[in-house]
Amino acid sequence: MRKLLLATTAIAFSVSASAPAFAEFNERNIRVSNGINADHPVGNGIDAMQKCLDEKSGGKLKLTAFWGGALGGDLQATQALRSGVQEAVVTSSSPLVGIEPALGVFDLPFLFANADEAYKVLDGEFGDMMNQKLEAVGLVNLAYWENGFRNLSNSVRPVTKWEDFEGMKVRVMQNNVFLDTFQNLGANATPMAFGEVFSALETKTIDAQENPYVTIDTSKFFEVQKYVTETNHAYTPFLFLFSKAIFDTYTPEEQAALRECAIVGRDVERQVIGDLNKKSLEKIKAAGLEVNVLSPEEQARIREKSMVVYEKHKTEIGADVVDGILVQLEEIRK
């Protein structure tokens, strides 16, 4: 009898040792707010993140996505996180500068020359430093996802150098950094609601607008424009933010799973949005638009001209933040 008991105990121990440690996971429904729609690449990222969480938690950690601002705008949702009444939000950095001014660094013009530079900065020490600032205001950033580069379309001329912006009426977001950027280049920067842009381009009320390729495609701006220039003048990331008040109540295993799976989702989302941008660019070319790419030399020249914008906004963003990102980019470009 004693031998049988010992054998049974040994088998039970062996099974428990080899099984996933799901005991450290609780049943949790994690609400994730998004301003975009479910067919955006963020949706692919959420799906990949959920699959990863299923494997790590035995299906106990569940993401419930709310699309199209169903839980409120990005800023409203982020404030709900800070209050501890909602779990998560995927949001662009731009709406949150009132909560953490340092995020304004991502609005600075011609900051990153390409996606590889952006990833090295965001996924490295600078990104970690920004994450610490976010935790100080009650937000845990699990990973930097992709919003993408903005590029210029217009109906006047190809833009190959900064002088080509002179006198061009460019629609921009209601954002002081964007306004200062295009005015500094000699353009007539015109804030305008997004829904008004197509008709304004069609009637020549404005000459140009700036958005990622996917937006230029899906909004059919190519129907009322002649030229597209890959300026890569602004790169704003999405942040996968979690309520620190709620996150701190989770077990270490749950926290680790969320961080690791957010990175899995990030990599999928970045790949999908990159592929979509390529497809949209091909569609724009097929529509007959003339497409050109700013040369690295001209990008560097415009970046140098744009330093007055950096200096103007350095105090509000934080001199340590602006100088820190420029130092890291200088090292990457060596």
Side-chain angles (χ1 to χ4, degrees):
M1 181 68 184
R2 185 171 179 274
K3 288 183 179 179
L4 177 62
L5 180 62
L6 288 172
T8 304
T9 303
I11 292 169
F13 178 79
S14 174
V15 170
S16 65
S18 61
F22 295 143
E24 292 85 356
F25 292 89
N26 299 286
E27 297 282 350
R28 300 194 187 276
N29 178 36
I30 298 166
R31 293 164 296 171
V32 185
S33 176
N34 300 267
I36 61 325
N37 295 324
D39 57 356
H40 188 279
V42 166
N44 301 88
I46 293 286
D47 290 343
M49 184 175 175
Q50 182 63 71
K51 184 178 179 182
C52 173
L53 287 172
D54 286 344
E55 293 171 355
K56 289 184 179 293
S57 71
K60 290 185 177 181
L61 298 183
K62 290 293 184 185
L63 304 176
T64 302
F66 292 84
W67 305 98
L71 296 181
D74 288 343
L75 180 57
Q76 181 182 349
T78 303
Q79 294 290 23
L81 266 61
R82 298 179 73 202
S83 301
V85 297
Q86 183 182 314
E87 290 81 11
V89 63
V90 179
T91 174
S92 174
S93 56
S94 298
L96 308 185
V97 294
I99 296 174
E100 177 45 68
L103 290 172
V105 72
F106 298 123
D107 289 334
L108 291 173
F110 300 94
L111 182 65
F112 301 119
N114 50 59
D116 185 55
E117 281 190 1
Y119 298 161
K120 286 178 179 176
V121 169
L122 295 170
D123 303 339
E125 292 180 7
F126 184 84
D128 291 340
M129 182 268 287
M130 294 293 287
N131 291 344
Q132 290 172 14
K133 290 181 178 291
L134 288 164
E135 290 207 16
V137 294
L139 301 165
V140 176
N141 183 35
L142 299 180
Y144 291 95
W145 288 22
E146 179 100 331
N147 194 354
F149 279 105
R150 301 175 76 89
N151 296 298
L152 183 83
S153 72
N154 82 91
S155 58
V156 181
R157 67 181 78 90
V159 173
T160 60
K161 56 188 181 301
W162 74 256
E163 289 86 353
D164 293 329
F165 285 95
E166 185 68 38
M168 195 177 287
K169 291 178 287 185
V170 184
R171 179 268 175 181
V172 297
M173 294 185 293
Q174 183 61 57
N175 176 304
N176 289 336
V177 175
F178 277 71
L179 284 166
D180 291 340
T181 295
F182 283 94
Q183 287 171 352
N184 178 57
L185 294 173
N188 179 4
T190 307
M192 181 181 294
F194 183 78
E196 301 171 9
V197 175
F198 184 92
S199 61
L201 291 170
E202 189 175 32
T203 60
K204 301 293 193 292
T205 303
I206 55 173
D207 303 313
Q209 65 81 48
E210 46 85 42
N211 263 296
Y213 285 138
V214 171
T215 305
I216 296 173
D217 169 16
T218 58
S219 299
K220 300 190 183 301
F221 293 151
F222 60 82
E223 293 182 357
V224 288
Q225 299 277 261
K226 295 180 180 178
Y227 308 98
V228 168
T229 301
E230 187 167 295
T231 50
N232 283 356
H233 59 269
Y235 177 97
T236 50
F238 278 130
L239 289 78
F240 199 115
L241 297 177
F242 214 96
S243 166
K244 188 174 188 302
I246 297 174
F247 194 76
D248 287 347
T249 68
Y250 286 11
T251 67
E253 292 77 15
E254 290 169 335
Q255 293 179 355
L258 284 165
R259 290 186 186 278
E260 292 165 16
C261 293
I263 290 173
V264 171
R266 174 201 72 190
D267 292 345
V268 168
E269 192 262 355
R270 285 177 177 176
Q271 181 64 51
V272 173
I273 206 167
D275 291 344
L276 276 181
N277 270 315
K278 290 175 185 175
K279 290 178 183 176
S280 290
L281 178 57
E282 290 307 312
K283 189 173 177 180
I284 290 165
K285 289 178 178 177
L289 275 72
E290 184 177 324
V291 178
N292 72 289
V293 179
L294 274 186
S295 68
E297 295 77 17
E298 188 57 29
Q299 257 204 350
R301 183 169 171 258
I302 296 179
R303 188 180 299 113
E304 184 62 33
K305 181 173 175 57
S306 298
M307 282 299 121
V308 294
V309 179
Y310 285 56
E311 288 300 320
K312 180 176 179 179
H313 294 277
K314 180 183 279 190
T315 300
E316 64 198 59
I317 294 170
D320 61 324
V321 175
V322 175
D323 292 340
I325 200 168
L326 290 177
V327 167
Q328 185 164 355
L329 283 167
E330 189 175 339
E331 291 173 356
I332 289 171
R333 291 168 184 155
K334 284 180 180 177

